[in-house]
Amino acid sequence: MTLYTTNFPAKNEKMVINKLREMASSLEAFPVTFNRAVVDMLGVWINAEITSKLQSLHEHIVDTLNLFRDGLYDEGELVAIGENKGRQKSLVKYGMWAAKDLYIPHITLSRPHDSACLEEALRVLPSVIHYTTTIKEIAYVERGIYRTCKQILQRFSLN
């Protein structure tokens, strides 16, 4: 599940990793419930319930790491979000189109090559979803295509 996805210049990567390690060491594991399948950004997602703990963690990470991106963001995402002014503003300000009050915690299940198949892909999922798990670590990852996790580079355990 994404907490913060953005671009960082290579020169700042060690500082980002150190900040994540520092943050994780002061956090306790906590539960997250996934409860709704949706279509957004041309993908099929399962959204998580936004709790105060999850929202607070997201905002803390964004506030702490945003300065290390030196204004970078994925310009291709401006095309993907279209005319949504709120998402555009978030992308430029935070490097993530769904940061802070726009945060949508989710897991991406699929991104069909043919966007006409999105609703069909959504229909194969159960109509009622209620899956609870415990967040036990934060990972620093290499982003893949469509802002997904390509590879875990570092893991930081929560207490």
Side-chain angles (χ1 to χ4, degrees):
M1 178 181 68
T2 301
L3 287 166
Y4 184 41
T5 180
T6 191
N7 296 355
F8 296 106
K11 68 179 180 138
N12 292 343
E13 185 174 30
K14 285 183 181 165
M15 290 181 284
V16 169
I17 289 170
N18 288 336
K19 285 292 185 183
L20 285 171
R21 181 178 293 113
E22 180 183 308
M23 279 188 273
S25 70
S26 67
L27 297 169
E28 292 184 8
F30 62 96
V32 171
T33 300
F34 294 89
N35 59 9
R36 192 169 60 121
V38 299
V39 169
D40 200 345
M41 294 293 288
L42 300 176
V44 178
W45 301 351
I46 295 185
N47 286 357
E49 182 180 307
I50 301 176
T51 62
S52 59
K53 182 121 179 155
L54 181 56
Q55 184 70 34
S56 176
L57 176 58
H58 160 73
E59 290 185 16
H60 181 54
I61 288 174
V62 171
D63 289 341
T64 302
L65 300 183
N66 187 39
L67 64 104
F68 294 113
R69 65 183 187 84
D70 292 347
L72 292 179
Y73 61 89
D74 185 340
E75 292 183 15
E77 289 187 17
L78 278 175
V79 175
I81 58 180
E83 297 300 315
N84 186 313
K85 298 296 182 198
R87 287 181 175 184
Q88 289 173 357
K89 183 179 177 183
S90 179
L91 180 63
V92 172
K93 186 172 183 175
Y94 302 113
M96 179 178 173
W97 60 263
K100 302 281 196 141
D101 60 332
L102 300 178
Y103 182 49
I104 307 169
H106 69 278
I107 294 175
T108 303
L109 295 179
S110 174
R111 190 165 198 279
H113 289 286
D114 182 356
S115 61
C117 297
L118 285 166
E119 293 301 323
E120 180 182 346
L122 188 62
R123 283 193 300 274
V124 302
L125 296 172
S127 59
V128 176
I129 297 171
H130 185 84
Y131 175 75
T132 300
T133 189
T134 301
I135 303 299
K136 298 177 183 176
E137 66 183 14
I138 295 174
Y140 181 72
V141 307
E142 176 184 354
R143 281 193 325 178
I145 191 165
Y146 310 121
R147 300 158 302 279
T148 58
C149 172
K150 181 176 181 180
Q151 171 180 265
I152 295 174
L153 301 174
Q154 295 271 337
R155 294 175 188 258
F156 309 100
S157 294
L158 306 184
N159 293 321

